[in-house]
Amino acid sequence: MDEQSSPSLRNAQPSFDLAPEQQEILDAADRFARNELFPLSERMDNEEWWPEDIFLKIGEAGLFGITVSPDYGGSGSDLFTSGLVLQAFSRWNHALALSWVAHENLCLNNIYRNGNEFIRRKYLPGLCDGTRIGALGLTEPGAGSDALGSMRTTARRDGDHYILNGSKIYITNGPVADVLLVYAKTNPQLGPKGISAFIVEKDYPGFRVAQKLVKMGFRGSQTAELVFEDCRVPAENMVGVENRGVSVVMSGLDLERAMIAPICLGICERALELSIDYAKTRKQFGRPIAEFQMVQSKIADMYVWTETVRTFTYRVLAQANDLEVGGGGRGHIHALTAASVMYAAETMGRVLSEAVQIHGGSGYIWESEINRLYRSSKLLEIGAGTTEVRKMIISGELLK
Ligand SMILES: Cc1cc2nc3c(=O)[nH]c(=O)nc-3n(C[C@H](O)[C@H](O)[C@H](O)COP(=O)(O)OP(=O)(O)OC[C@H]3O[C@@H](n4cnc5c(N)ncnc54)[C@H](O)[C@@H]3O)c2cc1C
């Protein structure tokens, strides 16, 4: 390389760091989460308690509707920015971060991307200001990894309504949601090609929360089984086109996978921070355990793992940022989003395992913060498609 070309080549290098304005958003969300969300996290974990007014506070802080145009009450930013908010929330209260992403991405952003003007005006302002809580219902008792093929919930047209029958399970925010984006088969003969998306409000006749489910981790986020028994939903609440729900699902799932990785990143960062603090203060053999090389080795590994999760997470979020409506569910972005969440979730498991090891017996005690994080780790290898499904997606795209 000659000397003349080097400056311009240097300028052409992509930046792998956050831009100053992105760092500001991450820092502002971090401050909010540390002050407002962290104090709630212990009780949420102990009692599976849901803090009633927290969504209003998040709404007042302008931390909902990040991707949504200000015309509907959002802040007109992008998916990458919402990933930064999620990363910050996950450092301080990962259970609430999960509730936030179910509301913000699975429900709100999906409605924004796929809903018509009537639906946007009807639902987005309340979801953006936090007065209404959102959820997404895809999984069923008999339809998990094969969510589309095995779906049994049906929607039958009856005048200006659809009549929904069936059930959904493991639905995040289910027990507290006001607005649910629900998938049902409008033409069961067509299999996955006969699925449509609907908005169901919690007060619609025939809808009920069958049971709240008790979890091993992410305990403060509320999870439920939902039942639809001749549930009457106005036909105008269909999101997208009849029988074209698959594109809504698949595009939404790619974005969801890109958005789950920041949860792993935030948890990794917090676990590393807690482990460094503990290693510096805990003394054995007359010295802080941080002075032992085997503890140093773990901290170095955890740092490397966290940084690689950061790099991959940001890169894939940036690529998913401009996914066109109806895009995704196939091609490079489909494999890449599956890869980022798979890597982030598995790597987070390793980080947390070493973090508990550094904490010794105290890490095994339920009340400790590191234990709370450790109990959370498995979910992210299961929700939004299991590790096995992610591998099927990646290899399927590569072997086409
Ligand atoms: C806490 C929590 C929150 C959730 N939130 C939501 C939500 O808000 N909305 C929603 O719709 N869903 C939600 N889910 C559901 C989640 O997406 C499903 O649990 C997940 O997709 C797996 O489905 P399943 O549990 O039925 O497992 P199954 O599909 O029954 O899988 C069981 C095992 O078999 C493996 N397996 C299945 N098929 C294959 C195959 N072809 N090849 C190899 N292995 C295979 C799986 O990988 C897994 O290891 C949530 C789940 C949990 C636990």
Side-chain angles (χ1 to χ4, degrees):
M1 184 165 46
D2 63 58
E3 276 187 12
Q4 273 196 326
S5 68
S6 59
S8 62
L9 269 183
R10 259 206 309 278
N11 290 339
Q13 296 298 315
S15 168
F16 291 97
D17 287 327
L18 294 179
E21 57 275 19
Q22 291 170 326
Q23 188 64 48
E24 268 172 38
I25 287 165
L26 180 62
D27 293 344
D30 183 273
R31 274 194 302 279
F32 175 86
R34 196 175 40 213
N35 294 335
E36 303 291 341
L37 308 185
F38 186 61
L40 311 174
S41 57
E42 191 172 348
R43 183 172 168 205
M44 285 175 73
D45 189 60
N46 283 341
E47 303 171 20
E48 289 219 334
W49 168 65
W50 177 251
E52 293 283 342
D53 58 350
I54 194 61
F55 263 43
L56 285 173
K57 269 196 184 153
I58 297 173
E60 278 165 19
L63 293 169
F64 283 133
I66 309 287
T67 52
V68 171
S69 156
D71 292 348
Y72 308 101
S75 54
S77 195
D78 57 12
L79 189 80
F80 193 95
T81 306
S82 61
L84 296 177
V85 173
L86 185 59
Q87 176 190 345
F89 280 20
S90 302
R91 292 171 178 167
W92 298 107
N93 188 331
H94 61 279
L96 205 65
L98 184 69
S99 299
W100 182 90
V101 79
H103 169 96
E104 169 80 8
N105 185 259
L106 277 60
C107 181
L108 205 170
N109 191 46
N110 245 337
I111 293 175
Y112 178 57
R113 284 170 66 85
N114 298 289
N116 58 25
E117 187 59 16
F118 166 80
I119 284 189
R120 285 173 158 198
R121 295 259 167 233
K122 187 169 170 191
Y123 290 109
L124 293 178
L127 291 167
C128 287
D129 67 17
T131 50
R132 302 181 101 185
I133 299 177
L136 174 133
L138 171 66
T139 307
E140 300 183 359
S145 298
D146 184 26
L148 303 178
S150 299
M151 187 181 291
R152 301 270 303 269
T153 301
T154 56
R156 174 176 54 79
R157 182 91 193 213
D158 180 29
D160 53 6
H161 283 76
Y162 282 86
I163 312 296
L164 267 62
N165 279 289
S167 63
K168 299 286 172 184
I169 199 160
Y170 312 136
I171 305 308
T172 303
N173 295 344
V176 292
D178 304 289
V179 173
L180 302 103
L181 182 60
V182 173
Y183 295 99
K185 282 195 170 157
T186 28
N187 189 339
Q189 280 76 42
L190 294 179
K193 295 213 167 91
I195 291 172
S196 305
F198 298 90
I199 295 178
V200 177
E201 294 187 33
K202 68 167 189 219
D203 298 327
Y204 285 173
F207 169 76
R208 71 186 162 86
V209 176
Q211 54 168 328
K212 172 176 143 47
L213 301 163
V214 177
K215 306 193 294 301
M216 66 185 266
F218 284 94
R219 284 167 46 81
S221 85
Q222 307 292 301
T223 315
E225 179 175 4
L226 310 173
V227 170
F228 307 85
E229 285 164 334
D230 289 331
C231 175
R232 290 182 71 77
V233 178
E236 63 195 18
N237 273 22
M238 180 180 282
V239 178
V241 179
E242 189 173 59
N243 295 330
R244 297 275 173 78
V246 167
S247 70
V248 181
V249 181
M250 297 311 283
S251 168
L253 276 174
D254 279 1
L255 297 179
E256 179 182 344
R257 292 193 183 108
M259 279 294 288
I260 295 295
I263 300 182
C264 304
L265 175 56
I267 291 177
C268 285
E269 289 176 317
R270 182 67 182 152
L272 178 56
E273 184 177 67
L274 288 170
S275 300
I276 291 171
D277 286 352
Y278 192 80
K280 284 180 172 170
T281 49
R282 172 70 176 168
K283 285 196 176 131
Q284 285 297 286
F285 301 98
R287 288 191 284 163
I289 61 169
E291 291 186 14
F292 302 126
Q293 284 189 346
M294 278 191 275
V295 173
Q296 293 168 0
S297 166
K298 289 185 199 310
I299 286 177
D301 280 340
M302 290 165 69
Y303 170 77
V304 173
W305 294 332
T306 302
E307 288 306 312
T308 52
V309 168
R310 185 190 319 280
T311 308
F312 200 10
T313 297
Y314 285 172
R315 184 188 145 215
V316 174
L317 262 179
Q319 283 193 244
N321 219 18
D322 300 321
L323 186 69
E324 74 278 15
V325 173
R330 61 188 180 279
H332 190 50
I333 194 68
H334 195 37
L336 209 50
T337 50
S340 102
V341 69
M342 181 183 127
Y343 179 75
E346 289 189 336
T347 308
M348 183 186 80
R350 293 158 78 192
V351 169
L352 289 174
S353 178
E354 292 295 47
V356 170
Q357 197 67 22
I358 288 174
H359 280 75
S362 71
Y364 202 73
I365 301 303
W366 185 273
E367 281 84 15
S368 69
E369 188 180 350
I370 201 66
N371 186 268
R372 185 157 76 229
L373 297 180
Y374 183 72
R375 278 184 279 113
S376 72
S377 73
K378 199 65 193 165
L379 173 63
L380 299 170
E381 294 176 44
I382 295 171
T386 61
T387 299
E388 291 73 21
V389 167
R390 294 165 193 170
K391 286 185 176 175
M392 282 158 58
I393 291 171
I394 297 162
S395 59
E397 289 298 331
L398 293 176
L399 296 171
K400 253 181 194 162

